[in-house]
Amino acid sequence: MPTTTVARVRPDDWRDLRDVRLRALADAPSAFGSTLVREAAFPDDVWRERAAQGRTLLARSVPDDGVPAEGDRSPGRVVGVAAVFPSHDDPTAAELVSVWVDPDARGTGVAAALLRSAEALAAELGARALALRVTATNARARRLYEGAGFAPTGETKPLPSDPRLLEVRMARRVGG
């Protein structure tokens, strides 16, 4: 059974970041505020810049016989992604965005590993709360977030990439 590792993106991971982001947008277009068409057109420099920010987490699936030593870079296939950024609206909060798990890896703990790493990154940023937006119709993701301690804040807004859909804001305390 494979092991999941989660690590922050480094500048030389930009191709993996681009590839997983485009896979995510193709797989779940109604889950993101952007579109595959828009991001597939980005030049490599945009992906390099995103990777250099170090705010994105990649989950990799590594066969048990290929588990890297602590701190080593995993050679495994990227099976999930998430990013954490300081909130523009609240200096005590961080925003969890762009969470996605490969369909073949769903239900294997990849999402939980990404959420744990996202919380640790939010704590590094000094955040006391971690917030996210999830499409109201995405019941599976909402159950995942609720199981991880996120609760709806009551705030909703149209999804930027498809204003016919509503996003629900959820939040939880960091470390709680």
Side-chain angles (χ1 to χ4, degrees):
M1 179 164 190
T3 300
T4 299
T5 63
V6 178
R8 287 170 79 164
V9 170
R10 292 193 261 183
D12 60 338
D13 291 328
W14 70 269
R15 285 180 188 87
D16 286 340
L17 174 58
R18 176 197 60 206
D19 295 348
V20 73
R21 176 66 175 171
L22 296 181
R23 284 175 32 219
L25 290 165
D27 174 64
S30 65
F32 301 101
S34 189
T35 66
L36 177 61
V37 169
R38 178 179 177 264
E39 294 198 21
F42 287 168
D44 292 349
D45 288 348
V46 169
W47 298 106
R48 286 185 182 99
E49 181 181 323
R50 284 184 174 188
Q53 291 174 358
R55 300 277 190 237
T56 303
L57 303 162
L58 295 182
R60 296 177 188 268
S61 178
V62 182
D64 282 339
D65 59 357
V67 175
E70 184 68 30
D72 285 351
R73 200 48 149 187
S74 167
R77 179 175 181 268
V78 177
V79 294
V81 63
V84 177
F85 292 92
S87 173
H88 295 294
D89 303 327
D90 180 352
T92 68
E95 301 286 333
L96 175 61
V97 299
S98 302
V99 179
W100 179 80
V101 175
D102 186 283
D104 292 337
R106 291 178 188 157
T108 65
V110 172
L114 281 166
L115 292 179
R116 283 190 302 273
S117 294
E119 182 176 4
L121 182 50
E124 276 183 46
L125 295 172
R128 290 181 286 188
L130 184 58
L132 59 87
R133 294 185 183 278
V134 60
T135 308
T137 56
N138 192 340
R140 183 176 185 157
R142 289 182 70 174
R143 281 191 306 273
L144 168 75
Y145 297 135
E146 287 168 355
F150 287 88
T153 66
E155 181 185 340
T156 62
K157 74 174 197 173
L159 180 68
S161 62
D162 185 350
R164 295 172 297 171
L165 298 173
L166 272 184
E167 288 184 307
V168 175
R169 186 171 174 83
M170 301 179 80
R172 65 164 285 187
R173 282 185 349 174
V174 170

